[in-house]
Amino acid sequence: CRQKANMLRQGIFCAVRNAAVARATVVPSVVTLTSVQHRHKMTAAPMVYISGEEMTHYCMNLIREKWIEPFIDTSKWEYFDLSCHGRDNSDDKVLHDAVEAGKRIGAIFKEPTVTPTEVQRDLLGLKRAYGSPNGAMRKGWNGITISRDTIHIKGVELGYRRPVLFERHAVGGEYGAGHGVVGRGHVKTVFTPENGGDEVVIDERTLTDNENAVVTYHNPLDNVPDLAHHFFSRCLRMHVTPYVVTKKTVFKWQEGYWVAMLNVFNEHYKQAFVDAGLLDNCGGELQHLISDAATMQIIRWTEGGFGMAAHNYDGDMLTDEVAQAHRSPGFITSNLIGKRDDGVLIMEFEASHGTVADMWNDHLNGKETSLNPLGMAEALIGAMQHASKLAGDGSEIENFTNDLRNIIHKAMASGKGTRDLCGATGLTTEEFVNYVGERLGRVYGQVDDSEMQKLLAAFDADAKGSLTYDECKALVNKFKALHGKDTIE
């Protein structure tokens, strides 16, 4: 019975359903056996696929082989190898090309990559130790924010019970700092206007130590309103209470970030949040949290149901804390949001963890591994769905990716997950990928001709090689009964 039900789901159900559910409209007298077609491969919309290395790259190769390639035509995807050797062999041209393609296409999936140390440079035989590609991506895609949210699985207790959303300003701060180590002397920071106006001395100080690290950075504020709109609209959609996090009581220059966020909230979102009851515990106003307080509340608010937006560095640190409170970085998403000049959102999706080097070493040494690919799977799903949205035709891919997510979640909730969730009885890396792939195949795999003919023949009462309306209805009702659905009268 299960096999027959699966056959129905794999291609014949759509054909017979149209005849069975017809009522007042014209009902076809028969459905011939030749009118039922094989399931075709779905075509994925254009997308940039950035590959990395080590354990996560190995796992993503398995995922593409078992979960994607049997069912999806990915010929419109553009691939870029950002492994250490990929960047070294191209003198980092591959990074430039990936950024340009991402800007053009607007949907990007990225595997975790390695930022090599000097030791790794020598070990791998690289010409130089290449820096993190993230800065080039954030700049090239006009990065606004990095969205990091908790992932939830029905039936599995992780950390927070309700969603937690986080927006980390994608530009500015220490990550783009200039620096130098100097001795005793005088330091002056001077701003020179683009239009040739008078210079402004930002800071001037005397250094009395023999060794000093001098650091200069700035925080762009023009895109903070875009960040605010993205943040508040997501909080409203997910029904969570928003908070803005700064250290503006000490760092006075952070006041502008808070003011920009507050202005957008009051003008565009406040009433909607009030109506939704999301400010009932906040005095009816958008709340500001000092970063010290945010650190404590992330641990205390285990119920979840909140969102935070912060500067670049604070966001980096606080989202790591959220990840630990929600079990691990494997249960947190990480999406870079940027904007093209024409206003189209550029969205890059990746896992919030690294390449899992220790597990890769175990794999190379022939040991069993059990890598949980949930963060990467969520990123791939998000990238494919955004690509389909940009292409204007996403229903088929959206259904497939939602089914993929459901199968992954059900596997993890039923004890068929990896060992970080299921303990010693959990599946290995390869076993989990195969398990999910096999269940995807039950829904989206090719229909076997002989089995399909046998199944249809079982309902062809008069053996004429076709199904009447009543025979179609009997077939549909058989399927519905097997799946606990109401039958057609």
Side-chain angles (χ1 to χ4, degrees):
C1 288
R2 178 176 296 176
Q3 185 181 28
K4 291 183 178 181
N6 287 332
M7 297 300 296
L8 284 167
R9 297 182 67 186
Q10 293 174 8
I12 66 170
F13 181 57
C14 290
V16 298
R17 179 181 58 188
N18 292 335
V21 300
R23 287 292 185 267
T25 55
V26 176
V27 179
S29 59
V30 296
V31 177
T32 62
L33 299 184
T34 56
S35 68
V36 181
Q37 302 296 321
H38 285 290
R39 178 177 290 278
H40 64 285
K41 268 193 175 186
M42 294 163 277
T43 300
M47 185 182 88
V48 171
Y49 189 107
I50 296 174
S51 60
E53 52 201 315
E54 298 189 331
M55 191 65 196
T56 46
H57 178 59
Y58 167 73
C59 186
M60 282 307 305
N61 282 342
L62 293 177
I63 285 173
R64 285 166 52 200
E65 177 188 349
K66 300 294 185 179
W67 300 359
I68 303 300
E69 292 170 3
F71 318 110
I72 305 292
D73 175 1
T74 61
S75 58
K76 294 181 180 179
W77 289 4
E78 297 185 21
Y79 295 87
F80 298 89
D81 176 12
L82 256 62
S83 67
C84 290
H85 285 296
R87 296 177 68 183
D88 200 54
N89 292 339
S90 68
D91 291 322
D92 225 15
K93 182 176 181 297
V94 65
L95 174 58
H96 175 271
D97 292 345
V99 170
E100 288 302 308
K103 185 187 301 184
R104 170 171 44 85
I105 293 175
I108 306 102
F109 169 79
K110 176 180 173 290
E111 295 178 8
T113 54
V114 170
T115 301
T117 63
E118 291 296 331
V119 173
Q120 289 173 312
R121 182 198 67 177
D122 295 339
L123 183 65
L124 296 171
L126 306 176
K127 292 190 286 287
R128 61 188 176 95
Y130 293 88
S132 169
N134 293 337
M137 292 175 178
R138 293 167 192 172
K139 181 179 179 180
W141 298 331
N142 297 318
I144 299 168
T145 181
I146 302 167
S147 300
R148 288 184 171 172
D149 304 341
T150 53
I151 300 171
H152 296 263
I153 303 170
K154 185 177 180 180
V156 177
E157 186 174 342
L158 296 171
Y160 299 104
R161 285 179 282 278
R162 295 182 56 217
V164 173
L165 314 184
F166 212 109
E167 300 297 342
R168 167 190 168 191
H169 199 191
V171 293
E174 292 87 335
Y175 299 93
H179 68 280
V181 177
V182 297
R184 293 170 177 260
H186 193 72
V187 173
K188 181 188 289 187
T189 305
V190 179
F191 166 72
T192 304
E194 186 180 49
N195 61 11
D198 294 338
E199 291 185 340
V200 178
V201 176
I202 303 299
D203 182 72
E204 189 172 4
R205 64 184 64 201
T206 298
L207 307 181
T208 58
D209 281 26
N210 292 324
E211 186 175 13
N212 307 272
V214 177
V215 182
T216 304
Y217 65 83
H218 74 293
N219 272 344
L221 297 176
D222 286 356
N223 67 3
V224 174
D226 285 333
L227 184 158
H229 282 293
H230 185 71
F231 175 54
F232 295 130
S233 62
R234 292 203 318 122
C235 286
L236 197 57
R237 185 168 62 250
M238 297 299 293
H239 203 75
V240 303
T241 300
Y243 296 86
V244 177
V245 179
T246 77
K247 186 77 170 178
K248 68 187 184 74
T249 52
V250 177
F251 303 140
K252 302 301 183 183
W253 50 267
Q254 293 189 352
E255 182 72 26
Y257 180 89
W258 159 248
V259 170
M261 296 289 288
L262 180 63
N263 288 342
V264 169
F265 180 82
N266 285 340
E267 182 177 353
H268 298 281
Y269 297 95
K270 181 177 179 179
Q271 191 57 51
F273 276 93
V274 169
D275 294 343
L278 293 171
L279 302 181
D280 289 351
N281 297 323
C282 303
E285 301 291 340
L286 175 66
Q287 292 298 299
H288 175 270
L289 282 178
I290 299 299
S291 53
D292 310 59
T295 302
M296 293 182 287
Q297 301 297 21
I298 284 171
I299 299 299
R300 292 181 58 223
W301 291 345
T302 56
E303 182 63 29
F306 64 89
M308 292 183 179
H311 281 94
N312 199 349
Y313 181 78
D314 282 351
D316 193 1
M317 298 299 102
L318 291 173
T319 51
D320 284 346
E321 187 182 9
V322 170
Q324 293 308 312
H326 199 59
R327 187 172 290 230
S328 79
F331 298 96
I332 303 289
T333 64
S334 184
N335 311 326
L336 171 64
I337 313 299
K339 184 185 284 189
R340 277 198 324 228
D341 294 338
D342 60 3
V344 172
L345 285 185
I346 300 172
M347 299 183 73
E348 179 254 351
F349 299 79
E350 59 180 315
S352 66
H353 55 74
T355 57
V356 198
D358 54 345
M359 201 174 288
W360 178 237
N361 290 332
D362 286 344
H363 173 76
L364 293 178
N365 290 323
K367 298 180 181 179
E368 278 190 349
T369 63
S370 184
L371 175 64
N372 185 339
L374 181 62
M376 294 188 294
E378 289 286 348
L380 184 60
I381 287 168
M384 291 175 67
Q385 290 185 346
H386 183 60
S388 294
K389 180 180 179 181
L390 293 179
D393 182 22
S395 58
E396 197 171 37
I397 292 297
E398 183 175 2
N399 289 338
F400 172 82
T401 49
N402 286 338
D403 285 341
L404 172 58
R405 176 186 286 119
N406 289 336
I407 290 171
I408 293 171
H409 286 195
K410 288 179 180 178
M412 291 179 170
S414 65
K416 294 295 185 180
T418 45
R419 291 170 186 170
D420 58 322
L421 282 177
C422 303
T425 61
L427 304 183
T428 65
T429 303
E430 297 80 5
E431 287 171 344
F432 181 76
V433 173
N434 288 337
Y435 182 88
V436 172
E438 188 272 333
R439 272 147 185 76
L440 266 177
R442 293 183 182 184
V443 181
Y444 288 95
Q446 293 289 331
V447 178
D448 181 87
D449 268 332
S450 61
E451 291 298 322
M452 184 172 68
Q453 293 288 342
K454 290 178 183 177
L455 179 59
L456 290 177
F459 288 86
D460 182 13
D462 54 12
K464 290 184 176 180
S466 61
L467 297 183
T468 65
Y469 173 80
D470 287 337
E471 290 167 344
C472 282
K473 187 168 71 173
L475 182 57
V476 171
N477 282 337
K478 180 69 171 180
F479 171 80
K480 287 177 172 288
L482 288 169
H483 289 266
K485 307 294 185 180
D486 293 335
T487 57
I488 299 172
E489 299 296 332

